[in-house]
C-alpha cells in the first residue's frame, strides 16, 4: 500500500487521503479546504491525481470539509462508487446541494454588487454538479466487510461525531489502515460514544483539539448566563452553528433550559438554516445512533420557529430583541448567518456566541481573537457585540478523550499519522501519544507519500 496526504495536514479542513493498493486507487474523504485564503485556493487548483483514475471514494462523514469536494471530483471525471453510511448518504443529499446553492448565491451576489476580483465570479460547482455526485452514493451498513475487489475490503464503524460518522478500516489481506475521521466524545449529550477498535497496522488520527482539554463544567450553566445577560440588555443572541450536530445540540439545550425555568420560556428562538431543519428531521430517523427518544426529538424540533424563506430571514435582521437566532455556517464563513452578523455584530446589546471549533482564517476565529471589524461582502463591519465561546459543546474529542480511546488498542500500530489539526495542535497530539503510549507517531506534510509495508 501507498498513502498520499492530499488534505487535512497543517489544517483541520480539506480531508483527502489517497490510498493505492495494487492497481486500485481509493480516496478516503473528499473535503473542501476552508479558512485561510491560501487553503481555499487549493479547492480551485488541479487535483494532483486524475479523478478519472480513482476507483472508489469512501466518506467518513458528511461535513463539508470531508465531503464537499465530491462534486468537483465528479465534474472532473470521477465515475466510481462513493461508499458511506446510510446516515451520511441522507445528510449529503441535503448538504452538497446546499453547498452548491451557497456558492452560486455568493457568486451571483458578488457579480451584482461588483466586489469580486473575478469577472465574472463563478461558483466552484453548481447544483447540477452536486446532483451528479449524489447519484454515485452507495450507502452501506456499519460493521459489514465490503469487497472493493483485488483482495481489498473495508468496514465502517460508528465514531460518535455526528449522524452517520464512521471510522474507516481498509484491509488488503496483509495490511490494515484505519482512518479515524472526526472522533466524537464519550459523554456527548446527543451522540452515542465511539466504538472501540482493537487493531490496525496503520492509523490516521485527528487532532483538532490535540493541544486542548474541554472544560468539565456543565455547558448549560454558561449558556444560561449568556442568554440571560443578553435578554436583560434586550439584545439578540446570534449563534453560528454547524447545521448538522451543533444545531440539534443547541436546540436540545435551549429546550432543557426553558423546561427547567433557567431561561424565560417566552424568549423567541429562530432556526434560520434550511439545511439544519432538514438535518433535524433526519436526526429522528436514526435513533440507534443517538441518545434521544422520539419524544425528545419532537421536543427538540419544536423549540424554535423555523425560518424558511429569504424574506423571513431578512425580516429577522430588522426585528428587535430579545431573541435567539441559530444560523449556519458554524465558522461564519458563509450562509445566512453572515447577514445576521452584518445586522447585529455592530450593537453592544447583542451577543455572538460560538459553540464549535473556528479554523484559522474564518470570521469566527477573527472575532474570537478580538477583531474590531470583520469583512463581509466587500466591506468591513465593526464588531461591537459581546463575543462569547462555549468550547465544551464541540463534537470533537479532546486529546485526553482521544488517548482514552487509543488505549483500547490491543497492540500499537506500526505507525500513527496525526492529521486534521492545525500545526500546534497536531504536534501536541503527537507528543501526547508518544509520551503516554510510546507509539511511533508522525505528523505528515501536505502531499507527502508514504509506503505502508
Amino acid at each position: 500500500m501507498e498513502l498520499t496526504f492530499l488534505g487535512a495536514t497543517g489544517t483541520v479542513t480539506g480531508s483527502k487521503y489517497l490510498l493505492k493498493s495494487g492497481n486500485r486507487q481509493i480516496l478516503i474523504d473528499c473535503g473542501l479546504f476552508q479558512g485561510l485564503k491560501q487553503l481555499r485556493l487549493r479547492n480551485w487548483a488541479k487535483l494532483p491525481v486524475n479523478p478519472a483514475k480513482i476507483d472508489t471514494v469512501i466518506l467518513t462523514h458528511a461535513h463539508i470539509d470531508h465531503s464537499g469536494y465530491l462534486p468537483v471530483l465528479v465534474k472532473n471525471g470521477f465515475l466510481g462508487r462513493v461508499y458511506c453510511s446510510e446516515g451520511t448518504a441522507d445528510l449529503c443529499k441535503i448538504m452538497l446541494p446546499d453547498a452548491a446553492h451557497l456558492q452560486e448565491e455568493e457568486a451571483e451576489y458578488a457579480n451584482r454588487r461588483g466586489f469580486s476580483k473575478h469577472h465574472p465570479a463563478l461558483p466552484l460547482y453548481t447544483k447540477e454538479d452536486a446532483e451528479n455526485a449524489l447519484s454515485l452514493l452507495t450507502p452501506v451498513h456499519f460493521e459489514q466487510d465490503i469487497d472493493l475487489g483485488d483482495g481489498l475490503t473495508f468496514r465502517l464503524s460508528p465514531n460518535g461525531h455526528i449522524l452517520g460518522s464512521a471510522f474507516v478500516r481498509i484491509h488488503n489481506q496483509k495490511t490494515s489502515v484505519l482512518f479515524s475521521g472526526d472522533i466524537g466524545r464519550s459523554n456527548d449529550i446527543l451522540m452515542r460514544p465511539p466504538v472501540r477498535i482493537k487493531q490496525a497496522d496503520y492509523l490516521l488520527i485527528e487532532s483538532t483539539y490535540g493541544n486542548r482539554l474541554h472544560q468539565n463544567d456543565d455547558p448549560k450553566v454558561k449558556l444560561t448566563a449568556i442568554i440571560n445577560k443578553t435578554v436583560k440588555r434586550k439584545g439578540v443572541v446570534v449563534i453560528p452553528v454547524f447545521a448538522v450536530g451543533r444545531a440539534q445540540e443547541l436546540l436540545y439545550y435551549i429546550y432543557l433550559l426553558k423546561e427547567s425555568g433557567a431561561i424565560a420560556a417566552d424568549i423567541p428562538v429562530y432556526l434560520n438554516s434550511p439545511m439544519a431543519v432538514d438535518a433535524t428531521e433526519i436526526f429522528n430517523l436514526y435513533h440507534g445512533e443517538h441518545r434521544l427518544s422520539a419524544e425528545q426529538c419532537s421536543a427538540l424540533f419544536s423549540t424554535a420557529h423555523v425560518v424558511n424563506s429569504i424574506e423571513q430571514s431578512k425580516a429577522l435582521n430588522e426585528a428587535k430583541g430579545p431573541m435567539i437566532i441559530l444560523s449556519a455556517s458554524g465558522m461564519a464563513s458563509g450562509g445566512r448567518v453572515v447577514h445576521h452578523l452584518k445586522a447585529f455584530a455592530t450593537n453592544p446589546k447583542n451577543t455572538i456566541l460560538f459553540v464549535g471549533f473556528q479554523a484559522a482564517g474564518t470570521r469566527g476565529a477573527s472575532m474570537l481573537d478580538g477583531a474590531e471589524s470583520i469583512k463581509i461582502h466587500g466591506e468591513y463591519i465593526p464588531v461591537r457585540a459581546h463575543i462569547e465561546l462555549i468550547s465544551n459543546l464541540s463534537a470533537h474529542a479532546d486529546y485526553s478523550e482521544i488517548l482514552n480511546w487509543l488505549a483500547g488498542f490491543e497492540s500499537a500500530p506500526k505507525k500513527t499519522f496525526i492529521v486534521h489539526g492545525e500545526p500546534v495542535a497536531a504536534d501536541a497530539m503527537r507528543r501526547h501519544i508518544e509520551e503516554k503510549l510510546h507509539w511511533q507517531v508522525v505528523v505528515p506534510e501536505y502531499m507527502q507519500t508514504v509506503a505502508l509495508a
Side-chain angles (χ1 to χ4, degrees):
M1 286 185 176
E2 187 179 88
L3 180 65
T4 302
F5 299 87
L6 300 179
T9 52
T11 175
V12 298
T13 67
S15 183
K16 296 183 201 72
Y17 313 104
L18 184 68
L19 186 68
K20 294 182 182 180
S21 181
N23 294 320
R24 294 277 173 174
Q25 295 196 82
I26 303 162
L27 191 66
I28 296 87
D29 276 347
C30 193
L32 282 183
F33 288 98
Q34 298 167 311
L36 297 169
K37 184 176 181 179
Q38 63 263 34
L39 293 175
R40 288 184 279 114
L41 288 174
R42 292 179 184 173
N43 296 325
W44 296 87
K46 184 179 179 181
L47 196 69
V49 58
N50 182 354
K53 300 291 186 182
I54 297 173
D55 297 288
T56 304
V57 174
I58 305 173
L59 299 180
T60 61
H61 65 287
H63 275 154
I64 291 300
D65 60 326
H66 292 257
S67 72
Y69 188 81
L70 194 57
V72 181
L73 195 77
V74 174
K75 181 169 68 171
N76 290 331
F78 173 74
L79 293 171
R81 290 188 175 188
V82 180
Y83 288 104
C84 59
S85 72
E86 294 166 301
T88 294
D90 281 345
L91 290 173
C92 280
K93 288 172 186 175
I94 61 174
M95 296 183 77
L96 294 183
D98 183 81
H101 169 72
L102 288 177
Q103 291 174 60
E104 289 179 318
E105 191 177 62
E106 288 173 5
E108 188 276 332
Y109 191 86
N111 289 324
R112 181 157 40 89
R113 294 297 182 93
F115 61 77
S116 174
K117 296 177 183 177
H118 304 282
H119 304 287
L122 297 173
L124 181 63
Y125 54 82
T126 65
K127 283 195 225 176
E128 182 181 357
D129 296 326
E131 292 297 334
N132 290 338
L134 292 176
S135 70
L136 302 180
L137 291 181
T138 306
V140 298
H141 296 303
F142 286 122
E143 307 300 0
Q144 289 191 357
D145 290 324
I146 308 298
D147 187 5
L148 294 172
D150 291 348
L152 276 174
T153 62
F154 81 92
R155 170 181 287 228
L156 302 181
S157 301
N159 73 1
H161 176 59
I162 62 169
L163 284 179
S165 64
F167 299 113
V168 176
R169 187 177 186 271
I170 300 179
H171 194 266
N172 73 347
Q173 299 181 334
K174 177 185 175 184
T175 304
S176 60
V177 189
L178 181 69
F179 300 81
S180 76
D182 292 349
I183 299 181
R185 306 182 63 189
S186 56
N187 295 311
D188 189 86
I189 193 172
L190 296 186
M191 296 302 299
R192 298 185 185 278
V195 301
R196 293 285 189 173
I197 305 291
K198 294 183 178 179
Q199 187 276 335
D201 294 314
Y202 295 91
L203 169 65
L204 281 74
I205 191 78
E206 73 130 313
S207 58
T208 307
Y209 285 89
N211 61 336
R212 280 171 282 182
L213 294 172
H214 296 310
Q215 296 171 342
N216 290 324
D217 50 333
D218 186 346
K220 293 197 296 294
V221 175
K222 189 170 183 180
L223 182 60
T224 299
I226 290 169
I227 292 173
N228 286 337
K229 285 179 182 177
T230 309
V231 167
K232 190 174 181 179
R233 298 191 298 264
K234 295 185 171 19
V236 179
V237 181
V238 178
I239 310 178
V241 290
F242 299 99
V244 179
R246 288 325 87 205
Q248 293 74 39
E249 185 174 22
L250 261 294
L251 287 175
Y252 188 57
Y253 272 120
I254 291 169
Y255 159 73
L256 293 176
L257 295 182
K258 286 193 171 190
E259 283 292 295
S260 68
I263 63 174
D266 60 352
I267 301 172
V269 180
Y270 297 93
L271 179 59
N272 188 12
S273 167
M275 184 166 62
V277 173
D278 292 339
T280 305
E281 291 176 343
I282 291 173
F283 201 81
N284 202 25
L285 302 177
Y286 290 91
H287 290 289
E289 292 187 36
H290 60 76
R291 302 177 189 267
L292 300 189
S293 65
E295 293 76 16
Q296 289 170 319
C297 283
S298 177
L300 177 155
F301 199 74
S302 63
T303 298
H305 304 285
V306 171
V307 179
N308 292 309
S309 68
I310 295 293
E311 290 70 30
Q312 289 174 323
S313 180
K314 289 179 178 178
L316 269 185
N317 291 332
E318 304 299 325
K320 305 295 182 183
M323 62 179 172
I324 302 169
I325 301 174
L326 285 73
S327 187
S329 68
M331 297 186 196
S333 54
R336 292 185 178 182
V337 75
V338 172
H339 296 274
H340 294 319
L341 292 176
K342 207 170 181 178
F344 297 115
T346 60
N347 192 329
K349 288 183 179 180
N350 303 327
T351 299
I352 313 299
L353 171 59
F354 293 96
V355 293
F357 184 82
Q358 305 299 308
T362 60
R363 292 187 186 92
S366 294
M367 284 185 274
L368 286 177
D369 286 342
E372 295 182 354
S373 64
I374 50 174
K375 192 176 184 180
I376 298 177
H377 302 145
E379 61 179 305
Y380 284 92
I381 306 301
V383 178
R384 301 190 185 102
H386 293 255
I387 307 300
E388 298 281 0
L389 169 67
I390 303 180
S391 62
N392 58 349
L393 286 175
S394 173
H396 291 266
D398 63 21
Y399 76 76
S400 178
E401 291 167 319
I402 289 177
L403 287 172
N404 181 60
W405 180 79
L406 292 175
F409 276 64
E410 292 180 347
S411 58
K414 293 179 182 178
K415 193 171 290 185
T416 296
F417 300 98
I418 308 296
V419 295
H420 205 281
E422 291 176 354
V424 173
D427 191 63
M429 193 76 245
R430 171 197 61 78
R431 190 172 62 253
H432 290 311
I433 295 174
E434 286 178 343
E435 293 175 356
K436 180 88 172 182
L437 300 174
H438 309 293
W439 292 2
Q440 186 176 350
V441 188
V442 173
V443 180
E445 298 290 333
Y446 177 58
M447 293 297 299
Q448 182 178 346
T449 297
V450 295
L452 308 181

